[in-house]
Amino acid sequence: MAKTQLGARVDEDIAELAKKRAADLGLSIGDYLARLVQDDASGLRARAVDAAARFLAEHQAIFDEAENAQHTPREARAA
């Protein structure tokens, strides 16, 4: 498949984040962006976000409990 060059202007922090994420995945910036577009167009990204939201909704009480335990001073916890 022939490749086409695209240009986009983004904030520096977004550019750095994209570079780091692409490197983490072992991809070039172009391949990383292509993957994001394909995932978005196929609905994969939306399904993943929906699944994450459902997971958090189902288990929010557990996360809240763990967070509250971290913020409770040791002296106030039962021994």
Side-chain angles (χ1 to χ4, degrees), residues 8-76:
R9 293 186 184 274
V10 297
D11 292 335
E12 286 182 34
D13 57 335
I14 297 296
E16 279 303 310
L17 186 59
K19 288 176 189 177
K20 287 178 184 175
R21 189 65 184 128
D24 289 346
L25 295 170
L27 299 170
S28 68
I29 295 284
D31 288 342
Y32 174 64
L33 294 175
R35 179 187 281 187
L36 289 177
V37 171
Q38 287 172 336
D39 289 351
D40 184 47
S42 72
L44 177 63
R45 185 172 172 79
R47 289 191 307 272
V49 170
D50 287 344
R54 283 192 311 275
F55 176 84
L56 288 174
E58 291 173 16
H59 303 288
Q60 188 63 52
I62 295 168
F63 291 114
D64 290 343
E65 185 178 313
E67 186 174 349
N68 289 336
Q70 288 179 343
H71 295 297
T72 303
R74 287 188 179 266
E75 302 82 39

